[in-house]
Amino acid sequence: QLEIDRKGVIEFLLLNHPLDCPICDRGGECPLQNNVVAYGPGNSRFIDEKGHAAKAFPLSKYVTLDLERCIQCGRCVRFTEEISGDAQLAFRFRGSGMQPSTFDLTDFDSKFSGNVIEICPVGALTSSEFRFRARPWDLQTSPGICTLTPCGTNVWFDHRDGKLSRINGRVNEAVNEEWTCDRTKFGHGEIYAAAGRISAPHVRSGDDFEAVSWSSAWKPILNAFEAESGVIAGPSVSNEDLFMLKKLFKYGFKSGNLDHRSAGFDALPDRLVDSVGTTIAELENKDAVLVFGTDLSDEEPMTFLRVRKGWFNNGTKVVVACDTETDSDSFAHTILRYKPGSEVAAAHAIAAAMDGKSADAEDLKASGLDAAAVEAAASALKGAGTAVLTTRSLLAKTGGADAASWLAKAADSQGGSFSLMATQANEQGALEIGFLPESGKNTREMLEAAKAGKLKALWLANYDPITDFPDVELAEAALENVEFLVVQAANETECAAYASVILPMTLPAEQDGTYTNVESRVQKMDQILQPVGEAKPIWRACSDALLRIDAANHPPFSASEVMAQICGEYPRFEAATADALSGEGALIYGPEIEPGQENQEPAGGQVQ
């Protein structure tokens, strides 16, 4: 009877479903196609003309709807209602005319819209970028890690003829479950496109650049770099790259001028330098969550989905404190909207209320918060099951370090957790490895010294200060006045026009490497694509330079050897064993809070 029922259901599904499998992007990986083969009838009894509907209707720039194929299963609608929470898709009309679409036929501009392509069981929702580019059986599929967000989203890289074709979500229950954000799913294509790639070293010759060999490029570099030089690395390069860059400048050039940060240089208490209080997965089981000063869906997309899942499934009370509207407002228990620039006053008012005290009147006035709303928020955040979340973008605000310290104190008062989350792909890795100016200049100080002609040489490793540093005028002046500039990049950048030497580097999928996500989880990505031209990983280029500085150096020959050195020098990385990296990744944590620091007050004290 079950077999008969299955055949009947499938027969009904096929009544008006077009038999366009040979031209359907879902062909070869279609659940309906698989079920028809396994359980469907051998012959069709339907002899009338099938119904017709709009084809290739663009729901957005990413998602295209072929309405004829839709079987009205509702998966896409349920995703937007239950997972992403934006509820942008709904069923319009009824009966045979029912169709999924946005309200008022506006663009489907969800930040997680790409997921509906993967969960659609029939190919009704397809990728606007991937349509007709390849057949599934033509593609090679390799596991990878997203390097465009700080979450470490696990993905599949589908590639063909050495070129990236598409990105799909890969299951990792500890990180992203099976979901991706649109930045992850659609953002890699342009980066990996062949156009604009730097394929060989170039040395300046007058106003132009001359392509040279690597050996020819090293001579002017090694002559220029010394103690009065510096390096700024992009926070998306691998742990191995950061480690070898630090080693090159610390031991090779005898320079302590190194940094990975674009903004936010206020001194933090030691316990907050790499504060990771909770994992992404733990957030769905928290009793309450305070989200301060950030729109999680933009900065921490997988964290956003977990917090929302906790609210949706487990009744987590979410308090949102921000100076603007955020996507988290839609499910917030309490919303605290403070004035822009009043982060310290708002954080202090919340911390006082959570500690059982009355919020200071001056803090309330400065922040524009209502005393009753602050008390309601504090009541919801009571208990050890509370997580306080903010991001390092807070440190770019005036007094951001003090605000972070007050938030940590608020979490301590409840016995809860506090997380000051990274905002870039491997920013947490840079913090764990200590790619910071221990006894030298930070990013701003290096740029100011270069502008004043006091920094002889500057190395930019996958970093463009013109686009990444908030003070564009300072960045341009620094690049114009620095005596010698090395730009190490994969794609052409604005700062390359100022370079003395340009070095080609590989992109993450073109090399072996590890990345540390926002929760201090180290994950490994093996090489998927071949490097373009003579491009090298940053760590290998640094190894070559060290060998030329001192021939007695024993250079590492693989990324795994570099990782072994990292584990030997930084005990926290000892958990990053081969077995751990082959699974969900290895969790490493920052230093524990020292006894007596729990109630340490911010250096700046209360804001007047």
Side-chain angles (χ1 to χ4, degrees), residues 306-328:
R306 289 288 184 152
V307 171
R308 190 183 186 283
K309 182 180 179 183
W311 165 80
F312 189 81
N313 289 346
N314 303 321
T316 301
K317 295 180 180 178
V318 180
V319 175
V320 177
C322 197
D323 59 0
T324 187
E325 293 183 0
T326 73
D327 288 340
S328 301

Side-chain angles (χ1 to χ4, degrees), residues 244-531:
M244 290 303 294
L245 266 174
K246 182 178 180 180
K247 191 173 181 180
L248 173 62
F249 273 78
K250 187 174 181 179
Y251 301 110
F253 301 145
K254 312 299 181 184
S255 171
N257 303 323
L258 66 162
D259 207 347
H260 69 279
R261 302 165 297 173
S262 285
F265 305 110
D266 291 346
L268 286 172
D270 289 343
R271 67 194 182 107
L272 298 183
V273 170
D274 54 354
S275 179
V276 176
T278 181
T279 65
I280 294 173
E282 287 171 352
L283 288 171
E284 66 182 79
N285 296 315
K286 294 292 184 181
D287 296 328
V289 174
L290 168 62
V291 180
F292 187 93
T294 177
D295 189 341
L296 286 181
S297 63
D298 285 330
E299 294 193 300
E300 314 286 344
M302 295 303 111
T303 302
F304 169 81
L305 292 184
R306 289 288 184 152
V307 171
R308 190 183 186 283
K309 182 180 179 183
W311 165 80
F312 189 81
N313 289 346
N314 303 321
T316 301
K317 295 180 180 178
V318 180
V319 175
V320 177
C322 197
D323 59 0
T324 187
E325 293 183 0
T326 73
D327 288 340
S328 301
D329 293 353
S330 62
F331 54 88
H333 176 275
T334 305
I335 299 174
L336 301 176
R337 189 77 70 233
Y338 56 77
K339 296 178 182 177
S342 65
E343 285 79 9
V344 183
H348 185 244
I350 295 170
M354 289 177 65
D355 200 23
K357 304 171 185 176
S358 297
D360 188 88
E362 292 186 3
D363 286 331
L364 295 175
K365 182 179 179 181
S367 63
L369 294 177
D370 178 71
V374 173
E375 290 298 325
S379 177
L381 296 170
K382 293 289 185 182
T386 293
V388 177
L389 307 178
T390 189
T391 67
R392 292 186 175 271
S393 59
L394 177 65
L395 302 182
K397 306 291 181 64
T398 302
D402 279 348
S405 296
W406 282 121
L407 293 172
K409 190 171 184 293
D412 291 344
S413 71
Q414 302 301 313
S417 63
F418 170 72
S419 293
L420 183 62
M421 299 181 290
T423 59
Q424 301 293 327
N426 200 35
E427 184 180 340
Q428 190 62 35
L431 292 166
E432 299 284 359
I433 289 172
F435 201 87
L436 296 164
E438 299 172 1
S439 58
K441 297 178 177 65
N442 62 35
T443 300
R444 178 173 287 278
E445 291 167 344
M446 279 188 271
L447 294 177
E448 289 174 345
K451 177 183 177 182
K454 296 179 180 179
L455 192 72
K456 182 178 179 181
L458 179 62
W459 187 308
L460 302 177
N462 197 36
Y463 182 82
D464 186 351
I466 295 177
T467 56
D468 298 337
F469 193 74
D471 189 342
V472 179
E473 290 185 4
L474 172 59
E476 290 179 340
L479 298 181
E480 287 174 353
N481 290 295
V482 69
E483 183 177 331
F484 196 91
L485 177 66
V486 170
V487 173
Q488 192 171 23
N491 295 290
E492 295 176 0
T493 62
E494 289 190 51
C495 68
Y498 300 86
S500 305
V501 176
I502 301 174
L503 300 178
M505 58 166 274
T506 52
L507 289 169
E510 297 169 352
Q511 66 180 57
D512 295 337
T514 60
Y515 301 84
T516 309
N517 78 348
V518 70
E519 58 181 351
S520 283
R521 182 182 300 274
V522 180
Q523 300 182 97
K524 185 175 186 293
M525 179 158 65
D526 295 324
Q527 181 180 340
I528 299 170
L529 305 174
Q530 289 300 312

Side-chain angles (χ1 to χ4, degrees), residues 7-22:
K7 286 184 178 180
V9 170
I10 291 174
E11 191 172 22
F12 275 116
L13 289 176
L14 294 175
L15 283 181
N16 285 303
H17 192 81
L19 300 180
D20 56 0
C21 299

Side-chain angles (χ1 to χ4, degrees), residues 1 50 67 74 96 104 122 128 171 180 193 209 226 231 237 273 278 329 345 364 371 403 424-425 547 553:
Q1 182 61 42
K50 292 176 179 283
L67 195 55
S96 61
D104 297 326
V122 295
S128 303
V171 175
T180 60
F209 289 94
E226 54 184 28
V231 58
V237 299
V273 170
T278 181
D329 293 353
L364 295 175
Q424 301 293 327
L547 187 61
N553 274 312

Side-chain angles (χ1 to χ4, degrees), residues 46-299:
F46 190 73
I47 58 174
D48 298 311
E49 184 178 357
K50 292 176 179 283
H52 297 285
K55 295 186 71 66
F57 176 79
L59 286 182
S60 70
K61 66 177 181 178
Y62 295 135
V63 183
T64 297
L65 171 64
D66 276 312
L67 195 55
E68 282 186 346
R69 300 175 189 161
C70 180
I71 60 172
Q72 303 170 357
C73 67
R75 283 188 179 186
C76 56
V77 174
R78 286 188 59 196
F79 173 84
T80 64
E81 292 176 347
E82 299 176 17
I83 307 299
S84 65
D86 46 62
Q88 289 196 23
L89 292 183
F91 277 127
R92 299 173 70 237
F93 314 123
R94 290 295 179 265
S96 61
M98 188 163 67
Q99 56 183 268
S101 68
T102 57
F103 295 98
D104 297 326
L105 297 180
T106 56
D107 276 351
F108 179 34
D109 58 0
S110 169
K111 296 169 185 175
F112 305 92
S113 67
N115 292 282
V116 302
I117 298 169
E118 296 183 47
I119 63 177
C120 178
V122 295
L125 296 170
T126 56
S127 169
S128 303
E129 296 185 352
F130 179 70
R131 283 171 64 88
F132 308 127
R133 286 187 58 189
R135 308 299 294 168
W137 52 83
D138 293 331
L139 299 173
Q140 291 178 276
T141 300
S142 305
I145 304 295
C146 170
T147 54
L148 298 181
T149 69
C151 305
T153 303
N154 285 222
V155 297
W156 293 109
F157 277 77
D158 285 349
H159 49 105
R160 181 188 185 193
D161 296 331
K163 297 180 181 179
L164 177 67
S165 295
R166 66 176 177 181
I167 296 287
N168 281 333
R170 178 164 62 95
V171 175
N172 186 331
E173 297 293 344
V175 181
N176 58 298
E177 297 181 297
E178 60 190 291
W179 312 120
T180 60
C181 67
D182 283 359
R183 199 169 6 144
T184 293
K185 188 169 179 65
F186 302 110
H188 291 81
E190 183 178 350
I191 297 173
Y192 285 87
R197 290 297 302 273
I198 301 171
S199 59
H202 288 73
V203 174
R204 179 174 290 279
S205 177
D207 292 333
D208 297 320
F209 289 94
E210 179 184 354
V212 298
S213 65
W214 275 93
S215 58
S216 298
W218 282 127
K219 185 176 181 179
I221 292 174
L222 298 181
N223 287 336
F225 279 82
E226 54 184 28
E228 288 304 314
S229 61
V231 58
I232 307 172
S236 298
V237 299
S238 70
N239 291 318
E240 292 80 2
D241 294 337
L242 291 166
F243 178 79
M244 290 303 294
L245 266 174
K246 182 178 180 180
K247 191 173 181 180
L248 173 62
F249 273 78
K250 187 174 181 179
Y251 301 110
F253 301 145
K254 312 299 181 184
S255 171
N257 303 323
L258 66 162
D259 207 347
H260 69 279
R261 302 165 297 173
S262 285
F265 305 110
D266 291 346
L268 286 172
D270 289 343
R271 67 194 182 107
L272 298 183
V273 170
D274 54 354
S275 179
V276 176
T278 181
T279 65
I280 294 173
E282 287 171 352
L283 288 171
E284 66 182 79
N285 296 315
K286 294 292 184 181
D287 296 328
V289 174
L290 168 62
V291 180
F292 187 93
T294 177
D295 189 341
L296 286 181
S297 63
D298 285 330
E299 294 193 300

